[in-house]
Amino acid sequence: MNGLNEIEIIYQKYYKFVKGYAFTLCFDESLAEDITQETFFKAIKSYEKFNHKCKVETWLCQIAKNTFLNLKRPKQTENIDDFQSSNLYTKSKNDDNREDRILHHWL
């Protein structure tokens, strides 16, 4: 049996299991579907590296969990100092007044 046939069998056998596991991570049907699809996409890409030292469902759940955690991880944002010093940001006199009003409001 070649790798493509094996992954098709794995998909058919474990799809509902992985989707159920993904749902327990996020409690959102749509997000669970996205996680499941991404899990199988990653599994297909890395199937040749799968060493069968663990059960297939364990391997798939680990991929699903990592996919979920990556989705929940905050996106890295550009440092505000870098942004202000770039050519994309030009500060005007109105910006100073606005900043003062915002600070005053919150203080």
Side-chain angles (χ1 to χ4, degrees), residues 14-63:
Y14 295 106
Y15 176 83
K16 288 182 181 179
F17 175 81
V18 172
K19 187 174 178 186
Y21 176 71
F23 184 79
T24 66
L25 295 172
C26 64
F27 299 102
D28 179 304
E29 190 69 31
S30 178
L31 185 56
E33 178 67 31
D34 291 345
I35 291 168
T36 302
Q37 292 299 322
E38 186 69 19
T39 296
F40 280 101
F41 175 73
K42 290 175 180 179
I44 290 166
K45 284 177 51 175
S46 64
Y47 186 71
E48 290 179 5
K49 297 176 189 173
F50 178 52
N51 57 21
H52 299 277
K53 288 185 179 179
C54 64
K55 293 180 179 180
V56 172
E57 56 263 44
T58 303
W59 176 61
L60 291 171
C61 285
Q62 187 64 45
I63 295 171

Side-chain angles (χ1 to χ4, degrees), residues 57-93:
E57 56 263 44
T58 303
W59 176 61
L60 291 171
C61 285
Q62 187 64 45
I63 295 171
K65 182 177 86 172
N66 289 340
T67 300
F68 170 73
L69 292 174
N70 286 337
L71 288 172
K72 300 305 280 182
R73 186 171 290 132
K75 304 284 188 255
Q76 289 192 1
T77 58
E78 191 174 287
N79 185 331
I80 191 67
D81 294 330
D82 294 341
F83 183 71
Q84 289 177 343
S85 65
S86 74
N87 291 333
L88 297 173
Y89 181 83
T90 55
K91 194 170 182 176
S92 71
K93 290 179 186 177

Side-chain angles (χ1 to χ4, degrees), residues 1-15 40:
M1 191 169 10
N2 67 32
L4 186 57
N5 287 340
E6 287 178 35
I7 202 70
E8 286 176 21
I9 292 168
I10 289 170
Y11 180 84
Q12 291 172 357
K13 185 173 181 179
Y14 295 106
Y15 176 83
F40 280 101

